[in-house]
Amino acid sequence: MLKLIIADDERVIRESISSLIDWNSLGIELVGTCRDGIEAYHMILDESPHIVMTDIRMPGLSGLELIERIYEANMDTQFILLSGFGEFEYAKQAMKYRVHHYLLKPCNEEQIVESMKDIIKEYYHRQAFQDLKERQKALTVNLHHSIMGNIINEQIFKSDPAKFSWDAYSGFMDFYQSGYELCFLHYLEEEYLNSVLSLIYDYMGEHAPGIELYCIYVKNSLILFFERYQASYDQFDLFMQTLKPKELPFQLDYKRCTFNSLEQLLKNLITKIRRYGIIYYMNGLEPVPICNYKNLITKIEELTARLIVAEDAERKSCVENLTATLNDISNTDFLKQAGSRILIKLATETSYLSSVDTTEYLMDLNQQTEYSEIRRMLCRKLNEVLKKPSSRSQHYSPFIDKIIRYVVEHLDDPNLTLKCIAENYLFMNVDYVSKRFSKETKQKFSNYITALRIQKAKQLLAEGHTEQIQWIAQQVGCGNNPQYFSQIFKKGTGMTPSAYAKKLNGGE
């Protein structure tokens, strides 16, 4: 239930509102009433209510001062202001604190209930949106870590790492523009690895929230790298230099290097670690071994490459050979690693697998501990490829085709943008997507979607919806704005929708 506090210096109003409404029926718990702004402020800090209904004028703190303090405290509290007739203009100042709900005294039960319903609806809508953002962030982080592990795998086993191509991954991560920091902690024995990593994760969570930390462990050395997020790293260096869990008997040797790009960092890093037989890529506190099974890796890469370009008749053979190769792997961690390599390749270079679905699938895969279940999951996913149309039949790159399909399916959305599609559907960099879209389709996204909307409008007009211009505007993504729809239609066709419909019917 959502928690509510009522604050008003008039006892009759406080008691009337608190007893007038059946709060439980609205899904609300009334946790307290307050006589002034100071009492309300303290109760808000103690109870963290979702909703506060407050008078605009109270002793101690006014309603606006109370809202300002809570806003500055970054608490997710929604306010309903109670104001007299002469105070309404004054109350509008609260809009800068995102307060949009006012009740003019005296107010009745119906007005209060309607305001509460609006607040409740907004809260759950905002909560759903926040949950979606958190899930999308988790998916993006997981995808980045899977890609990074895949890149390290590929580079380690390449005969010439200098010729490695970043093109397959450049739509998901920035390899050229953003600076990176590379850190080494030497003389760290494996038994102390988790203790040290836990302290580092805690530090980054507090001082650099949102910054993805990539970790590798090789032969008593912990290697960390992350995107540059500030100008000076004096505080970070001091933390790392003095990092010493209680159980660690000696001080670690620390070193940090700065690189102008992720590409430069990875080339330097791979040169240093490829000589080791086993490299542990850290998934949180879990070390995932990258084993030097060179022959199997080479075979898997060749089969995956063949599958990517195979026609329908050849794909069954490729999938069967890949499945048989995976069955030859007896090590659970390496099976996960090999399977992830195949799925990421298929998701990034073909239209067989969705990048979002693959990311979710890899999250589930990485949580599995049973060898038989991991093998079953991978085989089932590979068999899905056989049901898909050939990727070579696509006119555009796979992710451009995904954009085109998404636009067609969501054309009625007036808020449809390339930025929204790139970040929330493809999980790709919008600048990269925009450039590739323009290059492959020979037009800007805005021109493409406008042309598509005009084409759909022509179709609807041809089907006889000539008297439903407002409805057509909604169907083609112009919202409840028939004037705007008419403007873009005329600009694209040289005539208004009505004139075009008249022409279809044989008029002049």
Side-chain angles (χ1 to χ4, degrees):
M1 297 182 76
L2 302 186
K3 295 194 291 185
L4 167 70
I5 288 176
I6 299 172
D8 198 300
D9 58 337
E10 296 184 51
R11 182 177 61 85
V12 174
I13 293 178
R14 287 197 313 273
E15 293 180 355
S16 296
I17 294 177
S18 62
S19 59
L20 183 65
I21 310 295
D22 181 5
W23 298 110
N24 285 335
S25 68
L26 295 174
I28 292 175
E29 176 190 2
L30 178 62
V31 295
T33 59
C34 305
R35 296 169 295 180
D36 56 52
I38 294 177
E39 185 179 345
Y41 177 67
H42 290 153
M43 185 177 289
I44 292 171
L45 295 182
D46 291 337
E47 298 290 342
S48 297
H50 301 93
I51 309 169
V52 174
M53 181 183 292
T54 177
D55 187 13
I56 199 167
R57 291 187 181 275
M58 293 186 295
L61 285 175
S62 70
L64 285 182
E65 290 170 331
L66 175 65
I67 292 169
E68 182 179 4
R69 288 200 179 191
I70 298 304
Y71 179 84
E72 290 173 349
N74 199 30
M75 297 182 68
D76 187 21
T77 302
Q78 295 295 301
F79 284 87
I80 298 177
L81 273 177
L82 297 169
S83 63
F85 182 77
E87 300 166 339
F88 187 70
E89 291 299 321
Y90 174 63
K92 289 183 178 178
Q93 297 177 35
M95 290 182 69
K96 66 181 180 180
Y97 301 116
R98 300 195 298 270
V99 177
H100 304 294
H101 296 274
Y102 307 93
L103 288 174
L104 195 62
K105 295 182 188 177
C107 49
N108 57 37
E109 178 181 357
E110 182 180 355
Q111 291 171 319
I112 295 173
V113 169
E114 285 303 311
S115 291
M116 285 295 169
K117 286 182 177 179
D118 285 344
I119 287 271
I120 292 168
K121 183 178 179 181
E122 287 178 15
Y123 171 81
Y124 286 114
H125 178 77
R126 196 171 64 253
Q127 189 67 37
F129 181 71
Q130 186 62 35
D131 290 344
L132 178 61
K133 284 180 63 177
E134 291 297 324
R135 179 163 178 78
Q136 289 171 342
K137 180 181 177 182
L139 287 173
T140 302
V141 169
N142 188 271
L143 178 60
H144 286 176
H145 277 273
S146 294
I147 287 175
M148 191 61 68
N150 205 43
I151 287 172
I152 292 170
N153 268 298
E154 290 185 344
Q155 289 234 33
I156 286 170
F157 297 110
K158 290 285 184 183
S159 56
D160 187 358
K163 294 182 179 180
F164 185 82
S165 173
W166 311 98
D167 292 346
Y169 306 106
S170 57
F172 298 88
M173 300 182 73
D174 176 13
F175 291 93
Y176 306 107
Q177 304 299 324
S178 302
Y180 270 75
E181 302 295 325
L182 176 64
C183 307
F184 298 88
L185 277 174
H186 298 298
Y187 311 121
L188 175 60
E189 296 177 11
E190 189 173 348
E191 60 183 300
Y192 306 113
L193 176 61
N194 282 4
S195 298
V196 170
L197 262 180
S198 295
L199 292 174
I200 295 173
Y201 285 141
D202 289 344
Y203 177 91
M204 293 296 286
E206 180 179 352
H207 295 88
I211 297 296
E212 295 178 35
L213 181 64
Y214 304 97
C215 307
I216 295 171
Y217 182 70
V218 289
K219 203 167 184 178
N220 294 346
S221 291
L222 177 61
I223 305 170
L224 317 167
F225 58 100
F226 50 85
E227 187 175 349
R228 191 179 303 161
Y229 64 90
Q230 59 187 37
S232 172
Y233 288 90
D234 293 343
Q235 183 179 359
F236 176 81
D237 289 340
L238 179 62
F239 166 76
M240 296 294 283
Q241 288 163 359
T242 57
L243 179 62
K244 186 178 179 298
K246 293 179 180 179
E247 63 270 26
L248 195 63
F250 48 82
Q251 198 70 46
L252 300 173
D253 180 53
Y254 166 71
K255 179 183 178 182
R256 178 175 58 83
C257 308
T258 298
F259 291 86
N260 292 328
S261 69
L262 180 57
E263 178 194 31
Q264 292 180 3
L265 181 149
L266 288 173
K267 286 181 177 179
N268 181 280
L269 174 62
I270 296 300
T271 302
K272 294 180 184 298
I273 66 175
R274 64 179 302 166
R275 64 181 182 269
Y276 296 103
I278 298 182
I279 299 158
Y280 293 96
Y281 183 73
M282 302 303 299
N283 180 18
L285 296 177
E286 291 296 321
V288 179
I290 301 174
C291 308
N292 195 11
Y293 298 153
K294 188 170 183 179
N295 291 334
L296 278 176
I297 288 293
T298 302
K299 185 176 181 181
I300 286 171
E301 286 185 344
E302 291 174 351
L303 289 171
T304 306
R306 281 174 52 194
L307 177 58
I308 288 172
V309 298
E311 297 290 354
D312 289 346
E314 304 172 61
R315 278 190 289 155
K316 184 176 180 181
S317 174
C318 291
V319 169
E320 287 176 349
N321 287 330
L322 271 173
T323 301
T325 304
L326 290 175
N327 288 339
D328 289 338
I329 298 173
S330 57
N331 180 276
T332 301
D333 291 320
F334 184 64
L335 181 61
K336 287 183 184 179
Q337 173 189 315
S340 296
R341 289 165 68 85
I342 297 170
L343 298 185
I344 289 174
K345 275 285 189 181
L346 293 177
T348 56
E349 298 188 27
T350 75
S351 59
Y352 294 145
L353 302 178
S354 158
S355 56
V356 178
D357 292 341
T358 301
T359 302
E360 293 178 331
Y361 202 83
L362 289 176
M363 291 175 69
D364 292 337
L365 185 72
N366 287 330
Q367 293 174 357
Q368 300 298 326
T369 57
E370 293 295 327
Y371 172 84
S372 58
E373 178 61 17
I374 296 168
R375 187 173 62 179
R376 186 190 65 80
M377 289 178 67
L378 290 172
C379 292
R380 184 177 62 189
K381 201 66 175 175
L382 283 174
N383 283 327
E384 288 183 17
V385 173
L386 298 177
K387 303 175 184 178
K388 304 285 185 176
S390 173
S391 63
R392 294 186 66 183
S393 65
Q394 302 293 333
H395 181 65
Y396 302 119
S397 298
F399 76 89
I400 298 296
D401 277 323
K402 291 178 182 177
I403 293 174
I404 292 171
R405 287 197 299 272
Y406 189 92
V407 170
V408 171
E409 293 169 3
H410 299 83
L411 192 62
D412 60 345
D413 183 358
N415 299 315
L416 189 62
T417 65
L418 189 59
K419 178 179 174 64
C420 175
I421 297 172
E423 293 180 351
N424 299 329
Y425 176 62
L426 299 175
F427 297 98
M428 295 176 69
N429 179 276
V430 66
D431 292 331
Y432 172 82
V433 171
S434 178
K435 290 176 183 176
R436 285 290 298 272
F437 187 92
S438 298
K439 181 178 180 180
E440 294 193 29
T441 65
K442 310 301 182 186
Q443 60 183 321
K444 292 183 178 180
F445 179 80
S446 57
N447 294 337
Y448 167 77
I449 195 171
T450 299
L452 201 61
R453 283 171 169 157
I454 292 173
Q455 180 183 350
K456 178 69 177 292
K458 287 181 177 179
Q459 177 188 338
L460 294 174
L461 288 167
E463 290 172 356
H465 302 285
T466 54
E467 304 298 323
Q468 300 171 288
I469 300 301
Q470 183 169 348
W471 177 81
I472 293 177
Q474 293 174 337
Q475 295 303 303
V476 300
C478 294
N480 190 22
N481 195 338
Q483 184 179 1
Y484 169 68
F485 163 63
S486 296
Q487 289 173 345
I488 67 168
F489 190 93
K490 185 174 182 181
K491 186 176 181 180
T493 64
M495 60 184 74
T496 65
S498 299
Y500 181 81
K502 186 176 180 181
K503 182 179 179 181
L504 289 177
N505 294 324
E508 294 297 322

